[in-house]
Amino acid sequence: MLAVKGGKIYTMASKRVIEEGIIFIDGGKIVDVAERAEIPAGVEIIDAKGKYIFPGFIDAHCHIGLFEEGVGAIGEDGNEWTDPITPHLRAIDAVNPADVAFKDAVKGGVTAVFTGPGSANVIGGQSAALKTHGRVVDEMIIKSPAGLKIAFGENPKRVYGEQKKSPATRMATAALLRETLYKARNYKLKKERTKEGEVFETDLKMEILCQVLDKKLPLRAHAHRADDIMTAIRIAKEFDVDLVIEHCTEGHLIADNIAKENVPAVVGPSLTSKSKYELKDLTFKTPGVLAEKGVKVAIMTDHPVIPIQYLPLLAALAVKEGMKEEDALLAITKNAAEIIGIADRVGSIEKGKDADIVIWDKFPLDLMARPDIVIINGEVVYKG
């Protein structure tokens, strides 16, 4: 057993902060969180007096392991540019745990990620939730699949328009997605009506889309512009499927609409140049505006767009531009976990959760803050 004692504990399970608490860890899990408790003899103790203790931070949208750091084109496995409809692709079949960005994540206090395909395709494939420490991806998986990537706007129309293929317009992007979901409905109905003993030909593309139709898997929609956000919401309502808006760059312009539809948003990466028209209204005000309207918000790096270790910095910049400090912290802990669908394991310091804990030398939204100790699954994986 391991005990972390003496630090100021932000459980993120509630607004309550434990000024000098104790966290007991055993078997990779948190077994107790207390203000005061006797520590049994023989228990290993980590003294965190004067430090800040948080659950490991969670990047709710990135491409870590799929676009490898310092490798170049040979390490890019996140976009299958040859077919706009590829729901059967799985991120875990391309993630390289040896990507040095995983070590950077740990050093930055990021202990879990949602990683997956890029936005070249209308339907890009299946994303996964992973821990950031492990030798093989199978040991790092929290949930796979954790979402099905879809994309609107400039990226798919540019990729396929240049090939003189569909989609070359926003109309075609929406039409292809809608057509594919109708095919999945028909496939699901045919499968349900197939009698025992009859031959039924399995279609891997349709199988994963059936999980979407059954609300076992959300659509994770790349959408920057306000009109693209509303198109994603329109199609999700038409097929009665779960949806998460990713990027949501112009979300502050239609915050009331997004809140009305009860759709969560993973916002960012906001620390970039306005490199294309879709980003003309890019601002760190967006997550705060959305949160104020009642939208469940997470903040992303979109790594490698923003290096993953700077996730706390992005939350701090959102606070600088008006987001409440508590909302910003939730956006990289509990909210992120809930949006991904892994809050039963991570995102807060609570009894029964995975022991993913970071001890900070300063408040983590302070630019000068550094993790002193990072614990994942109850194991100390980094000491600063």
Side-chain angles (χ1 to χ4, degrees):
M1 183 179 282
L2 176 66
V4 179
K5 74 163 194 173
K8 190 172 185 178
I9 303 173
Y10 290 73
T11 68
M12 301 313 300
S14 67
K15 293 183 178 181
R16 178 168 167 261
V17 175
I18 302 174
E19 288 297 332
E20 287 195 18
I22 302 175
I23 304 168
F24 290 98
I25 298 167
D26 194 28
K29 298 287 185 178
I30 298 166
V31 296
D32 199 11
V33 184
E35 288 191 35
R36 299 176 186 83
E38 290 291 326
I39 301 177
V43 172
E44 181 184 353
I45 297 173
I46 295 176
D47 188 354
K49 189 172 179 61
K51 306 295 175 66
Y52 297 81
I53 304 172
F54 277 82
F57 291 157
I58 302 167
D59 191 339
H61 173 108
C62 68
H63 307 285
I64 191 170
L66 290 150
F67 292 86
E68 295 179 53
E69 283 282 87
V71 176
I74 198 171
E76 294 181 1
D77 285 302
N79 279 313
E80 180 60 45
W81 308 85
T82 58
D83 180 353
I85 307 294
T86 56
H88 56 315
L89 303 185
R90 305 190 310 169
I92 59 170
D93 295 327
V95 168
N96 183 3
D99 181 358
V100 297
F102 282 110
K103 291 183 178 178
D104 292 339
V106 170
K107 292 177 182 178
V110 179
T111 60
V113 295
F114 178 91
T115 187
S119 51
N121 293 348
V122 177
I123 305 179
Q126 304 160 45
S127 298
L130 307 175
K131 297 294 180 77
T132 53
H133 178 74
R135 292 175 300 172
V136 296
V137 72
D138 308 74
E139 297 172 352
M140 301 161 69
I141 293 171
I142 307 171
K143 186 177 183 180
S144 178
L148 184 66
K149 178 67 174 283
I150 61 174
F152 296 86
E154 293 182 26
N155 288 14
K157 62 176 281 190
R158 182 185 69 251
V159 168
Y160 290 96
E162 289 175 356
Q163 298 179 41
K164 306 300 181 185
K165 293 168 62 176
S166 183
T169 64
R170 281 177 164 81
M171 292 184 296
T173 295
L176 276 172
L177 176 59
R178 187 175 281 110
E179 178 184 39
T180 306
L181 287 169
Y182 269 112
K183 286 180 180 178
R185 270 186 178 175
N186 293 336
Y187 174 89
K188 184 173 181 286
L189 185 61
K190 183 178 179 181
K191 186 176 182 179
E192 290 169 351
R193 291 179 176 177
T194 299
K195 296 179 181 177
E196 188 176 349
E198 291 181 349
V199 175
F200 181 82
E201 187 174 344
T202 299
D203 184 325
L204 292 180
K205 290 185 176 183
M206 295 297 107
E207 285 290 326
I208 197 66
L209 285 163
C210 285
Q211 291 192 38
V212 172
L213 294 174
D214 289 338
K215 294 191 173 184
K216 295 178 180 177
L217 194 66
L219 293 176
R220 301 276 302 220
H222 167 109
H224 287 284
R225 236 167 64 175
D227 57 336
D228 290 327
I229 294 168
M230 293 310 300
T231 298
I233 291 172
R234 187 181 313 116
I235 293 173
K237 288 174 67 176
E238 181 180 337
F239 289 90
D240 188 25
V241 297
D242 292 334
L243 177 72
V244 177
I245 300 296
E246 299 187 321
H247 303 298
C248 206
T249 303
E250 293 186 0
H252 58 283
L253 302 179
I254 52 169
D256 287 328
N257 301 80
I258 297 170
K260 178 184 174 183
E261 301 298 343
N262 197 29
V263 175
V266 182
V267 181
S270 303
L271 192 61
T272 62
S273 65
K274 298 173 183 178
S275 57
K276 54 183 180 179
Y277 183 75
E278 289 179 333
L279 304 182
K280 65 182 176 59
D281 288 308
L282 184 71
T283 171
F284 270 105
K285 294 183 183 295
T286 305
V289 171
L290 289 169
E292 279 294 310
K293 293 294 184 179
V295 177
K296 183 171 288 185
V297 174
I299 291 173
M300 67 154 88
T301 66
D302 203 17
H303 177 92
V305 179
I306 306 297
I308 195 164
Q309 62 268 32
Y310 298 130
L311 180 62
L313 171 62
L314 304 183
L317 289 170
V319 173
K320 181 181 178 182
E321 292 300 323
M323 193 176 198
K324 291 179 182 177
E325 190 174 84
E326 180 189 354
D327 288 339
L329 290 168
L330 286 169
I332 55 176
T333 55
K334 186 181 178 184
N335 278 8
E338 289 177 349
I339 290 170
I340 298 167
I342 55 174
D344 59 324
R345 290 186 56 184
V346 297
S348 59
I349 298 175
E350 296 180 85
K351 184 178 179 179
K353 297 282 186 79
D354 292 2
D356 294 359
I357 295 166
V358 181
I359 302 171
W360 293 82
D361 64 349
K362 297 179 179 64
F363 189 69
L365 300 188
D366 183 330
L367 176 62
M368 302 305 290
R370 292 177 179 271
D372 269 351
I373 294 176
V374 178
I375 299 169
I376 298 179
N377 294 327
E379 177 189 354
V380 175
V381 297
Y382 174 74
K383 289 185 177 181

